[in-house]
């Protein structure tokens, strides 16, 4: 399996999974032209699309791709049907494509029906988990986001995190503002150097995320102090909610 990224829009990545026969799977095509250009450049043949959720920057290229490649299988949650999904996925479904098996994980929070795709050690998690951060939480979805992050944390530490945005450097700036430790500083220096050289910061891996990502460390005293929330009956949910609000106000 070979996995390549295609930068699209402002800061999105489309992931392309290629097998040894030059067949490929496209993950979250937010537009079509860069994808088609890359397909032609690499001389690869698309077989399927995996969609994590319904936001435009993840689905807007589907219909054009279907016009060009009408036999494409498009997998996604029910919320993406109007954008061209023809194979609806639910939690714990197994998808068999190109001799690979992907397990569908329900990971709501950013949207109500967000899903991720896991093939050990690769996790394509859309906008649920970012390197150093997590996605914006839809109103009323804090508990679901909390459960989704917990579910991801139960995967092996070797899991590679293929999220859909190049947010890593800004996320680490925020992380260092409230959760400063040796691992955050070292990772920040590494990612800053990569971005200065216009390199993709992804995939990350779960082991490092457990050390540097404040949204995976809600029980740490620094995070509780930053949010002003300490132990009560729902303190981790309240911390997650408040931490996301602080993140959205943070000035880089």
């Amino acid at each position: 399996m070979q996995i390549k990224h295609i930068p699209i829009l402002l800061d999105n990545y489309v992931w392309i999974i290629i097998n040894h026969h030059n067949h490929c799977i496209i993950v979250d095509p937010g537009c079509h032209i860069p994808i088609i250009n890359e397909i032609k450049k690499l001389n690869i043949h698309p077989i399927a699309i995996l969609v994590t959720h319904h936001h435009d920057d993840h689905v807007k290229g589907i219909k054009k791709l279907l016009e060009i490649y009408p036999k494409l299988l498009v997998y996604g949650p029910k919320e993406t049907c109007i954008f061209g999904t023809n194979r609806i996925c639910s939690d714990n479904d197994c998808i068999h494509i190109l001799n690979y098996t992907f397990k569908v994980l329900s990971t709501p929070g950013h949207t109500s029906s967000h899903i991720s795709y896991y093939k050990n050690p690769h996790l394509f998690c859309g906008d649920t988990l970012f390197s150093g951060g997590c996605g914006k939480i839809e109103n009323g979805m804090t508990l679901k986001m909390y459960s989704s992050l917990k579910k991801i944390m139960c995967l092996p530490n070797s899991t590679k995190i293929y999220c859909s945005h190049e947010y890593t450097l800004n996320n680490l700036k925020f992380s260092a503002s409230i959760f400063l430790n040796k691992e955050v500083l070292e990772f920040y220096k590494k990612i800053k150097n990569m971005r200065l050289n216009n390199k993709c910061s992804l995939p990350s891996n779960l082991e490092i995320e457990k050390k540097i990502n404040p949204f995976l460390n809600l029980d740490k005293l620094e995070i509780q102090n930053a949010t002003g929330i300490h132990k009560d009956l729902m303190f981790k949910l309240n911390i997650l909610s408040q931490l996301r609000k602080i993140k959205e106000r943070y000035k880089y």
Side-chain angles (χ1 to χ4, degrees):
M1 176 187 285
Q2 184 181 14
I3 302 175
K4 291 184 171 289
H5 71 281
I6 303 175
I8 65 166
L9 305 175
L10 181 63
D11 50 32
N12 282 69
Y13 288 133
V14 172
W15 298 102
I16 303 288
I17 304 163
I18 308 169
N19 74 358
H20 62 284
H21 293 300
N22 281 341
H23 295 145
C24 72
I25 302 165
I26 303 164
V27 183
D28 279 350
C31 62
H32 66 284
I33 293 175
I35 298 170
I36 293 168
N37 290 342
E38 190 71 9
I39 285 170
K40 290 178 179 177
K41 175 184 170 184
L42 297 174
N43 192 27
I44 55 180
H45 311 285
I47 301 298
I49 295 173
L50 304 181
V51 185
T52 60
H53 65 289
H54 71 275
H55 288 162
D56 278 358
D57 59 327
H58 295 253
V59 300
K60 211 163 185 181
I62 295 174
K63 289 186 177 179
K64 282 290 184 182
L65 288 168
L66 281 171
E67 287 177 13
I68 300 167
Y69 308 103
K71 293 184 179 180
L72 279 174
L73 302 175
V74 185
Y75 296 87
K78 190 174 181 179
E79 65 181 36
T80 63
C81 284
I82 61 172
F83 300 100
T85 292
N86 50 41
R87 298 290 187 279
I88 298 173
C89 299
S90 301
D91 193 34
N92 291 319
D93 283 351
C94 286
I95 299 170
H96 306 283
I97 321 171
L98 307 184
N99 291 323
Y100 304 133
T101 299
F102 296 86
K103 184 175 181 180
V104 176
L105 303 178
S106 177
T107 51
H110 181 65
T111 67
S112 60
S113 301
H114 194 296
I115 60 176
S116 300
Y117 300 88
Y118 177 63
K119 183 204 174 299
N120 190 10
H122 311 287
L123 178 70
F124 299 91
C125 56
D127 287 358
T128 296
L129 178 68
F130 298 126
S131 182
C134 77
K136 288 185 178 180
I137 302 172
E138 192 172 290
N139 287 341
M141 294 283 172
T142 302
L143 176 58
K144 290 189 175 183
M145 178 63 89
Y146 176 74
S147 299
S148 296
L149 295 176
K150 291 280 286 183
K151 181 182 290 188
I152 290 173
M153 286 181 72
C154 290
L155 296 173
N157 278 346
S158 58
T159 301
K160 295 182 178 182
I161 308 297
Y162 296 85
C163 51
S164 294
H165 289 273
E166 183 55 78
Y167 290 164
T168 310
L169 196 60
N170 281 343
N171 283 343
L172 290 171
K173 290 177 183 177
F174 173 72
S175 184
S177 74
I178 58 171
F179 187 50
L180 188 59
N181 58 43
K182 179 183 176 183
E183 287 84 4
V184 171
L185 284 175
E186 289 179 351
F187 199 55
Y188 176 81
K189 290 176 183 177
K190 174 186 173 183
I191 298 302
K192 184 176 181 181
N193 185 59
M194 291 176 71
R195 296 304 297 148
L196 285 172
N197 289 285
N198 202 32
K199 293 182 179 178
C200 176
S201 69
L202 303 166
S204 181
N205 72 73
L206 191 55
E207 184 173 18
I208 187 65
E209 292 304 316
K210 287 180 179 180
K211 296 175 182 177
I212 60 93
N213 193 323
F215 295 93
L216 301 185
N217 285 277
L218 303 179
D219 57 344
K220 294 290 174 64
L221 183 60
E222 306 99 292
I223 308 300
Q224 296 176 25
N225 288 340
T227 58
I229 299 170
H230 294 80
K231 287 194 175 181
D232 59 34
L233 290 177
M234 297 181 65
F235 84 107
K236 288 189 180 179
L237 291 185
N238 293 331
I239 289 171
L240 175 58
S241 179
Q242 184 64 17
L243 189 60
R244 233 350 283 195
K245 290 175 184 176
I246 295 170
K247 172 70 164 56
E248 288 166 26
R249 296 194 299 267
Y250 182 74
K251 304 297 182 184
Y252 298 103

